Amino acid sequence: DVQMTQSPSYLAASPGESVSISCKASKSINTYLAWYQEKPGKTNKLLIYSGSTLQSGTPSRFSDSGSGTDFTLTIRSLEPEDFAVYYCQQHNEYPLTFGSGTKLEIK
Amino acid sequence: EVQLVESGGGLVQPGRSLKLSCAASGFTFSNYYMAWVRQAPKKGLEWVATISTSGSRTYYPDSVKGRFTISRDNAKSSLYLQMNSLKSEDTATYYCARHYYSSYILDYWGQGVMVTVSS
């Protein structure tokens, strides 16, 4: 199974700042990585997949870089609605596996 | 609008069974692989099962293989998860999710249903 290691588990930032979240796979997953956003009272939202493709409706301030085993989600100029929990997921093979999550809170 | 609505959760004793349902709407259900994903309290996401469009192929992680069975009824646009021999570690919120066609990407999720396994 592909283990996904996500860091940090907690991140505090202010609106307008930029943040980065790391996701490392235990073996190469090419560019087959997705990022999801979890917010209370809302369904989980697919943000990015295949390493860099923005899902329809995802603001352009979200981006992903990386391939192989190391990936980084960057959110530029944080908006109030961006404070949430973020998960990475490899979509290269079964079993599907997720990172442990990063909670992004307002500083 | 894509909607996935889970039902059937609740409190169940260890060793017993429970069946979850997911009612889908807003898309052609029979064209998409479907999945169940769970989240234990204060924990991250764990994929539980996937089923192909026709139901002929199913996929499970080792943690539930042999105990859980995913199925679907395309005529009713419904997805199911039969959970047998439940354990306390199966306590979680269970989410129904749609695969982006047959890819391994989950593009829509339901709100989730809570399952508590306890005596």
Side-chain angles (χ1 to χ4, degrees), chain A residues 42-63:
Chain A
K42 295 200 168 185
T43 60
N44 290 345
K45 183 179 178 184
L46 171 65
L47 297 173
I48 295 173
Y49 60 93
S50 294
S52 60
T53 303
L54 294 183
Q55 172 70 338
S56 175
T58 300
S60 59
R61 61 181 179 274
F62 288 85
S63 65

Side-chain angles (χ1 to χ4, degrees), chain A residues 1 34 36 38 41-46 49-50 55 87 89-101, chain B residues 33 35 37 39 43-47 50 59-62 95 99-100 102-111:
Chain A
D1 299 2
Y36 300 89
E38 175 190 276
K42 295 200 168 185
T43 60
N44 290 345
K45 183 179 178 184
L46 171 65
Y49 60 93
S50 294
Q55 172 70 338
Y87 292 94
Q89 176 232 328
Q90 61 83 16
H91 59 91
N92 186 56
E93 63 184 54
Y94 288 119
L96 307 183
T97 47
F98 293 85
S100 55
Chain B
Y33 279 39
V37 177
Q39 184 171 32
K43 299 289 188 180
L45 299 168
E46 180 187 17
W47 169 73
T50 285
Y59 308 85
Y60 306 93
D62 288 344
Y95 297 97
H99 280 259
Y100 180 59
S102 61
S103 76
Y104 301 164
I105 302 160
L106 302 172
D107 63 352
Y108 286 94
W109 298 61
Q111 291 274 12

Side-chain angles (χ1 to χ4, degrees), chain B residues 11-22:
Chain B
L11 174 64
V12 61
Q13 293 179 327
R16 305 297 290 261
S17 299
L18 196 65
K19 186 173 185 177
L20 304 182
S21 300
C22 171

